[in-house]
Amino acid sequence: MLQKLDKYLLFKYLKTFLLAMALIIIIVITFDVSEKLDDFLGGHAPLQEIVFQYYMNFIPGFVNLYSPLFIFISVIFFTSKMAGNTEIIAILGSGISYKRMLRPFMMGATLVALIVLAFGNFLIPVNNRALDKFESKYIYTHSPSYFSNLHFQLRPGVQVYAESYDARTMSVNNYHRDAYDEEYRLTDRITCNRITYDTLSQEWECEHLIHHTFDGTKERVIKEQISHHTFDVTPDDFVSSSVNITTMNSIDLFKYIKREKMRGSTAVVAAKIELYQRLLNPLAILVMTLIGVGVSSRKTRGGIGVHLAIGITLAFGFIVFMKVSTVFAVFGTLNPFISVLLPQAIFGIIAVYVIRSAPK
């Protein structure tokens, strides 16, 4: 059962969070409009689509991404105000322990974290698809349709290489497919000067096909000028490296990671980081709440200004640490899971230290 103290602190927690979020969103939208106004006018984007298709889908993603920062600022603000009004002293002086006082803070943080978890894994990808559709229609009207030097594993033991792929004509130049046995010996090779996908028959029309079959020291060669084959490959396989992973929900993203890992794609690391961030970043809300309470529950002469200065410094350090660890995962040897978890773990230790050292 929630007691009066729980309701009072929980109400302050959520109200201040929503207020801080609304104010920052207004500021961000103002700057974004000024930055993209030329793009909107140049693309002749209707006002209705700008408001309802662009910004109504932009806001949830922005809130979801920066919710730990919003939480941190709101906790610092209202807890500092309570400390300045000696409310914290009154709460602790009435016999309520510091640990008990933290309970409504953690209840609010858990509620927000669960909402962020659900939004980040399932709702935000839907918003990002709508954003992509709007941007490709009115802002980035010249999206890439030509891809070169493509190499991937279609399935274990089957390698595909293409000199280039044109998405507009769905045609591949200089197509090669090699198949290997369990001992990595070449057993089958198909080469075509050009293949073009037929959407009706869902087959590839091949020009100048040469099919080599190897059986020990024996080789069999079949040549065809024009032929039709499936090759177990689709046009999507040639453009998968350009897929926007932020538009996939976490279930689809997990399947994408599994497929790209089998293909030997370099996009696996970025996809893993995206998935782990969706799953682990809600923990930052709990960490930031603890740090915010620990820093701002102490009554100081400088008041809220000192608390905000300390809090913003910690928040800035947390964001920088997250970016740096991600860079090490993409361009270094750091495991993607560790790169996402490490900032949470280190600042979690800082949160425990701040709470333990707070006056009780």
Side-chain angles (χ1 to χ4, degrees), residues 30-88:
T30 302
F31 280 101
D32 193 72
V33 168
S34 64
E35 181 183 348
K36 290 190 170 68
L37 185 59
D38 291 339
D39 295 326
F40 292 152
L41 295 176
H44 304 288
L47 179 61
Q48 182 178 359
E49 292 192 32
I50 293 174
V51 174
F52 293 102
Q53 185 174 348
Y54 184 76
Y55 283 108
M56 291 301 290
N57 289 293
F58 169 80
I59 290 173
F62 179 82
V63 171
N64 192 78
L65 181 63
Y66 293 102
S67 54
L69 182 59
F70 295 157
I71 284 290
F72 193 57
I73 292 173
S74 60
V75 169
I76 289 281
F77 182 79
F78 84 82
T79 310
S80 296
K81 193 172 181 181
M82 289 178 62
N85 294 334
T86 66
E87 291 182 67
I88 302 293

Side-chain angles (χ1 to χ4, degrees), residues 83-355:
N85 294 334
T86 66
E87 291 182 67
I88 302 293
I89 296 175
I91 292 172
L92 298 177
S94 65
I96 296 176
S97 67
Y98 194 87
K99 183 179 179 181
R100 173 64 181 83
M101 188 189 72
L102 285 176
R103 191 169 77 176
F105 286 95
M106 299 312 296
M107 290 170 61
T110 302
L111 176 62
V112 175
L114 290 175
I115 294 174
V116 167
L117 182 67
F119 276 34
N121 285 277
F122 298 103
L123 178 64
I124 304 303
V126 176
N127 298 134
N128 289 337
R129 284 197 289 271
L131 282 175
D132 268 10
K133 184 178 179 181
F134 178 90
E135 290 176 346
S136 62
K137 184 177 181 181
Y138 297 110
I139 299 178
Y140 308 116
T141 53
H142 302 289
S143 58
S145 61
Y146 187 82
F147 307 90
S148 59
N149 294 324
L150 303 169
H151 182 256
F152 57 89
Q153 181 176 251
L154 183 61
R155 59 179 180 272
V158 178
Q159 299 285 338
V160 172
Y161 168 78
E163 181 179 325
S164 63
Y165 173 71
D166 190 341
R168 291 172 297 182
T169 60
M170 289 191 288
S171 59
V172 179
N173 289 323
N174 198 11
Y175 174 81
H176 292 257
R177 193 190 75 166
D178 293 338
Y180 300 86
D181 60 16
E182 296 178 354
E183 298 179 359
Y184 299 102
R185 292 178 299 191
L186 183 64
T187 59
D188 192 272
R189 168 172 288 175
I190 295 175
T191 61
C192 298
N193 289 353
R194 181 183 177 89
I195 61 174
T196 303
Y197 191 70
D198 186 343
T199 55
L200 295 177
S201 63
Q202 296 184 345
E203 291 182 337
W204 295 92
E205 181 181 283
C206 311
E207 300 177 10
H208 303 292
L209 178 143
I210 302 177
H211 187 185
H212 298 263
T213 303
F214 303 94
D215 184 10
T217 58
K218 297 180 181 180
E219 178 183 0
R220 181 185 177 190
V221 180
I222 299 175
K223 296 183 179 180
E224 299 176 351
Q225 288 297 319
I226 300 294
S227 57
H228 292 81
H229 302 274
T230 60
F231 293 139
D232 295 329
V233 66
T234 65
D236 290 339
D237 292 316
F238 293 100
V239 297
S240 61
S241 59
S242 65
V243 171
N244 187 354
I245 56 177
T246 63
T247 61
M248 303 180 187
N249 63 47
S250 293
I251 296 174
D252 293 335
L253 183 57
F254 179 79
K255 295 177 181 177
Y256 172 80
I257 292 171
K258 187 177 180 181
R259 188 186 71 173
E260 292 302 300
K261 187 176 181 181
M262 182 270 295
R263 288 159 53 99
S265 171
T266 57
V268 172
V269 174
K272 283 185 176 181
I273 291 174
E274 173 70 19
L275 179 62
Y276 296 146
Q277 284 179 339
R278 294 181 186 182
L279 298 175
L280 297 178
N281 277 1
L283 293 175
I285 295 173
L286 304 176
V287 172
M288 287 293 128
T289 297
L290 287 175
I291 295 178
V293 176
V295 168
S296 57
S297 59
R298 185 193 305 267
K299 187 174 182 179
T300 60
R301 288 186 178 181
I304 191 173
V306 175
H307 295 155
L308 280 176
I310 297 173
I312 290 174
T313 302
L314 288 171
F316 179 76
F318 180 68
I319 293 172
V320 170
F321 197 176
M322 288 179 64
K323 296 297 182 181
V324 170
S325 64
T326 300
V327 170
F328 273 104
V330 175
F331 299 102
T333 57
L334 188 62
N335 183 277
F337 181 79
I338 298 298
S339 72
V340 177
L341 182 62
L342 190 61
Q344 316 273 2
I346 291 179
F347 275 80
I349 295 172
I350 294 175
V352 172
Y353 171 77
V354 169
I355 290 295

